[in-house]
């Protein structure tokens, strides 16, 4: 693993705050979500999970307030996603000098080397939270699974799409009583016309029956009318599911 990649992990993990995610508990109402996706070598998954667990434990013991969550994909390609939130971009600079981690810097460096020895490839995606079409994130604990809907919007339909989601999907999410509904627009690491919508669920059985969103909108017929409006606005969309890894995450006390 190159030194560049080792430094990349240090910046991503050592001083993190995917959620996927995702829509995970964070102090204050965050503006920016940074998700780091990792493909781990097939024969090093155990090493990766052990080292990231030790890393999270060290951050907790040091009392760092740079929180993060780690998630593993359960659909699509096998990957891990580390999620953290910031109130502004300046916090990313401040995160690189967490004084609470000073005394464990050596331990963190050794763990970083172990982690990166397990990583085959990585990518980083930075998004801005769409506050006017998301439920509040503050005080919301992670659920067992995160359902991530990624949508690529036609540039000429960009504002129409945002308005449609705000007017029809957000009210339905509120009415349905969803614990988590977070929307973000990609700013770096992908198309500027790409959005991600994150909802949570606790068990697969929760997906049986009619979707809470569909039910809240008045049933399948009403939802089909929404789809008829949305379909001409988008290029494509896809859904992936991630599972929360509590032992490999560092969250605020009580989360």
């Amino acid at each position: 693993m190159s030194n560049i990649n080792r430094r990349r992990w240090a910046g991503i993990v050592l001083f993190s705050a995917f959620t996927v995610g995702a829509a995970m508990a964070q102090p204050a109402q965050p503006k920016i979500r940074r998700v780091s996706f990792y493909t781990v070598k097939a024969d090093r998954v155990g090493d990766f999970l052990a080292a990231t667990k030790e890393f999270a434990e060290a951050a907790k013991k040091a009392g760092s307030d740079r929180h993060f969550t780690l998630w593993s994909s359960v659909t699509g390609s096998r990957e891990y996603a580390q999620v953290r939130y910031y109130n502004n971009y300046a916090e990313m600079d401040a995160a690189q000098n967490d004084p609470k981690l000073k005394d464990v810097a050596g331990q963190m460096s050794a763990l970083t080397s172990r982690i990166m020895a397990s990583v085959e490839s990585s990518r980083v995606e930075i998004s801005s939270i769409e506050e006017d079409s998301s439920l509040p994130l503050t005080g919301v604990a992670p659920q067992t699974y995160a359902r991530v809907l990624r949508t690529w919007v036609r540039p000429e339909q960009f504002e129409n799409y945002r308005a449609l989601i705000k007017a029809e999907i957000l009210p339905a999410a509120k009415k349905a009583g969803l614990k988590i509904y977070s929307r973000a627009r990609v700013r770096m690491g992908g198309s500027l016309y790409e959005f991600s919508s994150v909802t949570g669920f606790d068990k697969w059985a929760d997906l049986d029956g009619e979707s809470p969103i569909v039910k809240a909108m008045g049933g399948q017929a009403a939802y089909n009318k929404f789809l008829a409006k949305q379909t001409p606005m988008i290029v494509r969309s896809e859904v992936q599911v991630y599972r929360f890894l509590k032992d490999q995450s560092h969250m605020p006390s009580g989360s």
Side-chain angles (χ1 to χ4, degrees):
M1 184 63 59
S2 71
N3 288 333
I4 292 176
N5 281 336
R6 291 180 189 278
R7 289 195 295 272
R8 176 183 297 170
W9 175 266
I12 289 169
V13 182
L14 272 171
F15 310 111
S16 53
F18 122 142
T19 237
V20 57
M24 300 76 184
Q26 296 293 331
Q29 196 62 258
K31 310 283 188 184
I32 300 168
R33 182 173 70 209
R34 179 168 178 168
V35 184
S36 304
F37 297 93
Y38 298 96
T39 299
V40 177
K41 298 173 184 176
D43 61 343
R44 300 298 300 275
V45 172
D47 296 333
F48 176 82
L49 292 175
T52 50
K53 179 180 179 180
E54 289 182 43
F55 194 98
E57 291 172 345
K60 294 172 189 175
K61 187 174 181 179
S64 172
D65 56 5
R66 306 298 178 182
H67 304 111
F68 56 89
T69 54
L70 189 68
W71 302 73
S72 64
S73 63
V74 293
T75 62
S77 301
R78 187 187 66 198
E79 65 181 5
Y80 295 84
Q82 189 192 66
V83 182
R84 52 260 151 90
Y85 290 91
Y86 301 92
N87 292 315
N88 52 53
Y89 286 103
E91 287 189 359
M92 293 187 188
D93 295 320
Q96 298 183 42
N97 297 289
D98 186 349
K100 294 182 179 180
L101 294 178
K102 182 178 180 181
D103 293 340
V104 293
Q107 179 184 5
M108 293 295 200
S109 178
L111 287 170
T112 296
S113 295
R114 285 177 53 194
I115 291 167
M116 288 313 302
S118 304
V119 173
E120 185 173 280
S121 63
S122 64
R123 62 187 176 90
V124 177
E125 183 178 282
I126 299 176
S127 304
S128 58
I129 301 297
E130 297 272 288
E131 295 181 80
D132 62 353
S133 56
S134 299
L135 295 177
L137 287 170
T138 304
V140 180
Q143 292 182 256
T144 305
Y145 298 99
R147 177 184 181 275
V148 182
L149 168 65
R150 303 174 73 91
T151 304
W152 287 262
V153 179
R154 299 185 186 281
E156 68 275 13
Q157 293 288 345
F158 178 72
E159 292 300 337
N160 291 334
Y161 173 79
R162 296 176 80 182
L164 179 66
I165 297 299
K166 180 180 178 180
E168 299 196 25
I169 294 297
L170 181 61
K174 292 179 178 178
K175 184 177 180 180
L178 297 184
K179 297 178 183 178
I180 292 171
Y181 181 72
S182 173
R183 287 181 51 77
R185 177 193 177 190
V186 173
R187 295 292 185 176
M188 303 174 196
S191 168
L192 291 176
Y193 300 101
E194 178 184 345
F195 291 84
S196 62
S197 303
V198 180
T199 55
F201 62 99
D202 294 313
K203 55 187 182 301
W204 286 103
D206 292 343
L207 302 184
D208 288 331
E210 192 172 50
S211 159
I213 290 287
V214 173
K215 185 176 180 179
M217 293 184 77
Q220 191 62 49
Y223 186 66
N224 287 343
K225 291 181 180 179
F226 161 77
L227 291 179
K229 298 175 187 177
Q230 177 187 253
T231 300
M233 299 179 182
I234 67 175
V235 178
R236 67 184 179 94
S237 59
E238 65 179 38
V239 177
Q240 301 294 348
V241 176
Y242 294 82
R243 180 171 59 87
F244 176 51
L245 301 179
K246 184 176 181 180
D247 290 345
Q248 285 77 20
S249 301
H250 171 39
M251 300 177 296
S253 299
S255 298

